[in-house]
Amino acid sequence: MNNNGKTMKWDSAFYQDKHGFVAEYGKELLKYIFDSAPGHILDIGCGTGTLTGIMSGLGHQVTGIDASPDMVLNARNHHPAIDFLVMDACDIPWENTFDIVFSNAVFHWISNQKKLLSSIYRALKPGGKLIAEMGASGNIESIQKAFEAISRQYGYQYQSPFFFPSSTEYGSMLEHAGFHVIFLEEFDRPTPLEEAGDGLKNWIRQFFANDLEHFTPEICNAIIRDVEETLKGKLWNGTRWIADYRRLRIIAEKPVP
Ligand code: BEZ
């Protein structure tokens, strides 16, 4: 058995409570927005709208899109003055519309990267920029390896739903889609998980939810306990779990013809 490529179910309240660090780290990416003149920004995978709200507060006209209706509902409730839409990032309907397409921690969820990049390229104005960050090659490697090995002992074949490219690989994909690459950097970003001792458990329950659905609650608990045991020497610092995140930061321009 495997997860059959099912889409992720997002509980926006649980996500904001237990994984708020995603938007916190995303604030680092906003430094590239601080330098930009007020313009029209598309925030892909806006989630509950934390970063969209900050960009709007900086004077930009911002539209947030997310594939999850629950996230969009939550974002609208928090930021009623901003446009939030449920939308597939591979099928953005606008052309030559945005000065910036922004995205934090979302691209690695999208399997059709060719479609994603051409959708973004179309949506940007000539001279417009893609400013994004995603998981890089080696991201969460030890967590995936441990989960794969332990769930296999229970007859399950874990297949990673994520796309974590190297900078070389993604650079050529961007160029192939027509972009001029301005900046592309891969780096380690060890990430403390929230809720101390429960951090890894919460993370696994959120992000491997489709895989865990195949097991009884007792077996889920046993798998999580064994993953924790396996990773304790590597990811537990004595007070918190530190996930082995690696990031790929991207700035690319749609050339002016
Ligand atoms: C990430 O942001 O790198 C990530 C988050 C959840 C699952 C996989 C990767």
Side-chain angles (χ1 to χ4, degrees):
M1 52 178 174
N2 62 44
N3 77 5
N4 297 321
K6 270 169 55 183
T7 49
M8 180 82 192
K9 280 190 227 84
W10 295 101
D11 174 338
S12 61
F14 180 84
Y15 186 81
Q16 193 158 33
D17 182 34
K18 304 279 190 269
H19 306 284
F21 65 83
V22 177
E24 276 309 308
Y25 278 109
K27 288 179 186 166
E28 286 179 25
L29 197 58
L30 290 177
K31 72 178 180 208
Y32 302 100
I33 303 289
F34 295 146
D35 296 338
S36 310
H40 199 174
I41 300 182
L42 178 67
D43 183 7
I44 293 184
C46 58
T48 56
T50 307
L51 301 179
T52 332
I54 296 173
M55 291 189 281
S56 171
L58 291 170
H60 299 282
Q61 182 193 343
V62 195
T63 304
I65 63 168
D66 203 288
S68 158
D70 190 54
M71 289 288 190
V72 166
L73 201 62
N74 191 318
R76 284 181 184 148
N77 286 340
H78 281 95
H79 308 278
I82 299 177
D83 277 339
F84 290 103
L85 298 162
V86 178
M87 191 179 288
D88 182 339
C90 294
D91 289 313
I92 299 165
W94 301 288
E95 287 182 27
N96 299 322
T97 302
F98 296 96
D99 300 289
I100 294 171
V101 170
F102 177 91
S103 183
N104 177 51
V106 172
F107 284 8
H108 47 253
W109 291 98
I110 298 174
S111 52
N112 194 340
Q113 291 286 322
K114 211 170 157 197
K115 206 165 173 215
L116 171 68
L117 292 179
S118 65
S119 175
I120 293 170
Y121 186 88
R122 217 175 24 250
L124 280 168
K125 292 176 185 169
K129 288 194 181 69
L130 168 62
I131 297 176
E133 198 167 291
M134 67 190 292
S137 167
N139 192 40
I140 59 161
E141 191 165 276
S142 49
I143 301 179
Q144 289 203 103
K145 273 194 179 149
F147 186 82
E148 198 217 332
I150 286 154
S151 61
R152 195 178 331 114
Q153 293 168 9
Y154 292 90
Y156 185 71
Q157 182 55 58
Y158 171 71
Q159 284 171 2
S160 174
F162 306 114
F163 176 62
F164 299 137
S166 68
S167 50
T168 313
E169 187 181 5
Y170 214 65
S172 60
M173 291 174 78
L174 284 160
E175 281 169 7
H176 207 255
F179 286 97
H180 165 61
V181 175
I182 296 173
F183 179 84
L184 208 47
E185 187 183 52
E186 262 177 80
F187 57 98
D188 288 331
R189 198 201 64 201
T191 300
L193 301 179
E194 278 166 35
E195 301 229 322
D198 285 339
L200 186 58
K201 185 193 316 184
N202 289 337
W203 193 98
I204 291 171
R205 286 200 181 281
Q206 170 78 35
F207 296 117
F208 293 159
N210 287 341
D211 305 284
L212 291 174
E213 266 182 11
H214 293 89
F215 302 103
T216 62
E218 293 72 28
I219 293 182
C220 287
N221 290 339
I223 290 174
I224 290 169
R225 191 197 53 227
D226 290 355
V227 170
E228 286 177 332
E229 203 48 49
T230 305
L231 294 176
K232 209 166 188 169
K234 189 163 186 194
L235 302 184
W236 176 253
N237 76 356
T239 46
R240 308 187 72 165
W241 289 100
I242 314 289
D244 53 343
Y245 276 36
R246 283 180 50 72
R247 301 284 97 182
L248 177 62
R249 193 167 282 182
I250 303 154
I251 303 182
E253 187 179 46
K254 175 173 175 172
V256 177

